[in-house]
Amino acid sequence: MAYRNGDLMGRVSVRGVSRRFVKNGVSHTLALENIDLEIEDKEFVCFIGPSGCGKTTLLRIISGLDTPDGGDVFVSNEKITSPGPKRGMVFQEYSLFPWKTVMNNVIFGPLMRGVKKEKAMEEAEKYLDLVELTQFKDSYPHELSGGMKQRVAIARALANEPEVLLMDEPFGSLDAQTRNSLQCELLKIWQKKHLTILFVTHSVDEAVFLADRIVMLTARPGRIKEITVVDIPRPRNRTSMEFNQLRNHLLKILAEEQENK
Amino acid sequence: MVKGRFESLKGKGVEILSIVSALIIWQLIAVYVVQNKFFLPSFTDVSLAFYSVVSRQMDFPVDILSFTRQIQMPVLIVDLLYSLMHFFIGMIGAFLIGMPMGMLMGWFRSVERVFDPLIEVVRPIPPLAWIPFAIIWIGLNPFGAGFLIFIGALFPIIINTFTGFKNIPRIYVEAAKVLGCNKDRELIRHVALPSALPSIAAGIRIAMGVGWMCLVAAEMFGVSKNGLGYKIWHHYYLHNMDFVLVYMLVLGFLGLLIDRLLRLYVEGRLLKWRTGMVI
């Protein structure tokens, strides 16, 4: 990829980001306060924190769907002002276009970038293969299970060949089994592709299983409470001692935060 | 298979019985109780009248570019063609103006604020109240009739397109933006329009119903010498109440047919991505 320039690509810099919500012009909620964060290329970072702490808001700001009131976000040294195809996003809600087949959902991004349809479909096969849904390419979303929908959503985001993949509790509404198998699948994809992943979750277990680093945010207003480096080698065993030690540690500070709220 | 067919016919027994008994009661009342063809033509009178309008031929001028010829056609078919022409002039006009208007109002808040109050004032005026202006502005021609149907069909299309656009789930718009679809025009075309299609289709269906109801009145004021609505008044002046009833029934059945065809088309072609949809 010609436009990528060396070590800058896939790097996310959040500098002094604040976000204030104004309701009816009167009551203010400070959702994020002065967030500073550097995320390296190809890093897998999870965000956890008490509910309503602004994790999703931070992700939306990085995607460009929301704009900060203070501070800036740079991805690959480029200032983010609007959403763009270099930052893929997978939402918590099912966001597949219900009027398009699985295949047409996946090629939507490439078509918007001006890729020819035949070429886009050829490429899309690869991504559907990656999430093991090739045989469902002509199905409509309503014919798929929740886990399958999220896999298609991942394939759709990857089809744009993003440098950064933003995931907002993508497995939040799935049952525990599907969730575990999708986590493994995501790790496989992440290892195959050159990709930085920012992953919001409310599950400490999920964060410890997936992340290189875990960013814990405080209760409102959201500030960075603690950044934990997870140096357990992959594949990680959810029942191992070190896994549970880290889990307990994180659960404890999360509980503290919940009380402070 | 045979058993299945028999079963399905048996399943419709009550419905068939209901229609057959209604016809028999109508016939008996007309012949023995009312005994007056002017007040209540019997089923057989109406059947004969129907046979007459189907079998009687008349000239139908076909005039396409340099090709001009008189074609012989049954009277009823000629009336039907005229009515469909009036109907579709109005419907197509309402579609071409109502859809873009509803879309712009639903997508841009400023457009909504400009047009919404105007629409709210004009909308409650019954379409038939526009007849005098239809005559003065457009005149006694098929477009005059089409104008009334246009007025009747316009507002359901605007309102439903508008509502459909207002109710687009935000998640689809955001998903499209993140995938690189950022311009209003592209978002409308690729996200808003397909997402709002069920509502728009429902609006067109309502509009067709209203337009069809305006048809009789639209043909009343002498826009042509043919048309299903026109013939109702024509035969009324001639005191041929059996013919009046024939045209009433044809209007009813045709309205039903148009509605069914539209529903079939919408459900089969446009909305196969939705299951169990009711419009």
Side-chain angles (χ1 to χ4, degrees):
Chain A
M1 294 241 128
Y3 63 84
R4 291 190 165 179
N5 82 11
D7 35 327
L8 286 176
M9 65 192 204
R11 222 164 123 174
V12 181
S13 311
V14 180
R15 291 176 198 159
V17 162
S18 300
R19 180 75 173 97
R20 182 183 292 278
F21 286 112
V22 181
K23 226 182 197 174
N24 308 326
V26 202
S27 80
H28 304 264
T29 316
L30 194 55
L32 291 171
E33 193 179 27
N34 210 14
I35 303 276
D36 275 306
L37 191 62
E38 291 291 326
I39 294 160
E40 297 302 317
D41 180 37
K42 218 177 174 328
E43 200 178 4
F44 199 133
V45 175
C46 280
F47 293 86
I48 54 175
S51 56
C53 72
K55 303 174 290 226
T56 297
T57 307
L58 180 58
L59 210 66
R60 289 173 59 85
I61 287 173
I62 297 171
S63 77
L65 285 172
D66 205 341
T67 35
D69 294 309
D72 293 304
V73 175
F74 296 85
V75 173
S76 315
N77 242 19
E78 238 175 81
K79 194 176 158 189
I80 300 307
T81 49
S82 67
K86 282 191 201 171
R87 280 149 291 130
M89 184 141 177
V90 179
F91 298 86
Q92 178 180 14
E93 306 123 281
Y94 300 130
S95 64
L96 296 180
F97 303 128
W99 55 90
K100 286 182 185 290
T101 59
V102 165
M103 173 56 88
N104 286 330
N105 262 287
V106 175
I107 63 173
F108 181 80
L111 288 185
M112 286 297 117
R113 282 184 293 136
V115 177
K116 287 264 182 306
K117 191 163 182 187
E118 296 79 46
K119 178 113 197 320
M121 282 173 77
E122 224 177 277
E123 291 283 306
E125 294 271 359
K126 278 197 301 193
Y127 294 104
L128 284 174
D129 204 37
L130 205 61
V131 295
E132 289 162 22
L133 282 175
T134 316
Q135 70 205 88
F136 291 97
K137 63 180 177 190
D138 296 319
S139 305
Y140 283 92
H142 73 82
E143 298 167 296
L144 306 178
S145 70
M148 285 151 90
K149 281 181 202 167
Q150 289 308 65
R151 271 147 70 193
V152 177
I154 292 170
R156 180 173 73 173
L158 293 176
N160 257 345
E161 295 176 359
E163 296 163 0
V164 179
L165 187 59
L166 307 165
M167 306 184 85
D168 182 12
E169 299 195 30
F171 309 145
S173 47
L174 305 178
D175 62 88
Q177 259 174 324
T178 314
R179 189 175 240 249
N180 285 358
S181 72
L182 277 186
Q183 287 166 1
C184 294
E185 248 180 77
L186 180 63
L187 282 178
K188 259 190 251 161
I189 291 168
W190 171 66
Q191 275 150 0
K192 262 191 234 174
K193 297 269 152 195
H194 193 120
L195 205 59
T196 308
I197 296 185
L198 276 64
F199 192 107
V200 166
T201 177
H202 57 255
S203 156
V204 171
D205 179 82
E206 189 167 62
V208 176
F209 186 74
L210 292 173
D212 291 325
R213 278 197 297 166
I214 297 173
V215 177
M216 167 93 71
L217 296 180
T218 61
R220 193 170 288 158
R223 280 187 232 102
I224 292 178
K225 165 110 176 167
E226 190 182 287
I227 297 179
T228 314
V229 177
V230 187
D231 48 12
I232 308 171
R234 296 189 179 93
R236 290 174 188 161
N237 183 346
R238 285 173 216 266
T239 48
S240 74
M241 207 171 58
E242 44 191 346
F243 191 102
N244 280 298
Q245 272 171 350
L246 184 55
R247 214 174 130 229
N248 284 342
H249 165 72
L250 290 168
L251 281 171
K252 215 170 80 188
I253 28 181
L254 195 59
E256 278 170 26
E257 254 333 292
Q258 211 89 15
E259 271 164 38
N260 291 346
K261 215 169 131 183
Chain B
M1 212 41 207
V2 177
K3 198 184 164 205
R5 220 176 268 168
F6 178 70
E7 290 285 305
S8 77
L9 209 67
K10 205 169 131 192
K12 291 270 181 254
V14 179
E15 287 82 351
I16 292 168
L17 197 70
S18 151
I19 291 175
V20 171
S21 6
L23 291 179
I24 291 172
I25 292 168
W26 169 20
Q27 178 74 13
L28 292 177
I29 291 177
V31 175
Y32 296 105
V33 182
V34 180
Q35 296 187 353
N36 184 336
K37 225 177 126 175
F38 183 68
F39 274 107
L40 183 65
S42 70
F43 174 60
T44 44
D45 294 331
V46 171
S47 303
L48 286 173
F50 180 73
Y51 177 72
S52 150
V53 290
V54 172
S55 59
R56 200 148 40 87
Q57 304 278 313
M58 71 174 285
D59 284 340
F60 181 66
V62 175
D63 198 353
I64 306 163
L65 298 172
S66 56
F67 176 82
T68 311
R69 191 181 286 177
Q70 300 282 325
I71 294 180
Q72 289 277 310
M73 259 197 242
V75 177
L76 186 69
I77 301 295
V78 175
D79 289 325
L80 194 96
L81 289 175
Y82 270 94
S83 282
L84 286 180
M85 173 175 74
H86 298 149
F87 181 64
F88 280 107
I89 288 173
M91 283 308 301
I92 290 169
F95 188 75
L96 289 182
I97 293 181
M99 268 258 295
M101 187 122 170
M103 282 162 59
L104 292 175
M105 281 173 65
W107 193 258
F108 299 106
R109 178 85 181 105
S110 51
V111 180
E112 179 193 346
R113 291 186 60 185
V114 170
F115 285 103
D116 191 53
L118 301 177
I119 286 175
E120 286 309 308
V121 170
V122 179
R123 187 163 72 108
I125 301 173
L128 306 191
W130 287 89
I131 291 178
F133 275 110
I135 295 173
I136 291 173
W137 286 345
I138 298 171
L140 296 173
N141 56 47
F143 290 94
F147 178 74
L148 273 202
I149 292 155
F150 166 80
I151 295 285
L154 180 67
F155 295 106
I157 292 181
I158 292 183
I159 302 289
N160 270 54
T161 308
F162 170 71
T163 317
F165 265 59
K166 276 272 155 187
N167 293 333
I168 300 162
R170 201 178 65 160
I171 185 84
Y172 298 144
V173 178
E174 292 191 339
K177 281 185 177 170
V178 174
L179 289 167
C181 179
N182 251 325
K183 296 189 198 91
D184 281 320
R185 203 170 56 90
E186 287 182 335
L187 283 169
I188 288 175
R189 181 171 154 215
H190 295 292
V191 179
L193 204 54
S195 172
L197 207 56
S199 176
I200 296 174
I204 291 173
R205 201 167 158 217
I206 296 168
M208 283 192 143
V210 177
W212 196 244
M213 287 180 194
C214 294
L215 189 71
V216 178
E219 291 179 349
M220 239 172 65
F221 53 91
V223 291
S224 61
K225 288 277 166 246
N226 286 94
L228 300 170
Y230 169 76
K231 281 297 170 73
I232 286 183
W233 289 97
H234 172 75
H235 286 293
Y236 163 70
Y237 291 129
L238 299 175
H239 290 199
N240 291 334
M241 297 313 282
D242 41 357
F243 283 89
V244 170
L245 241 167
V246 165
Y247 280 100
M248 282 168 64
L249 289 173
V250 169
L251 273 167
F253 279 118
L254 211 63
L256 184 71
L257 186 74
I258 290 176
D259 189 60
R260 281 294 151 92
L261 284 180
L262 181 76
R263 199 163 142 184
L264 217 69
Y265 176 74
V266 166
E267 282 178 1
R269 294 282 305 278
L270 301 178
L271 299 173
K272 56 182 169 209
W273 53 275
R274 273 206 155 189
T275 44
M277 231 225 1
V278 182
I279 59 164

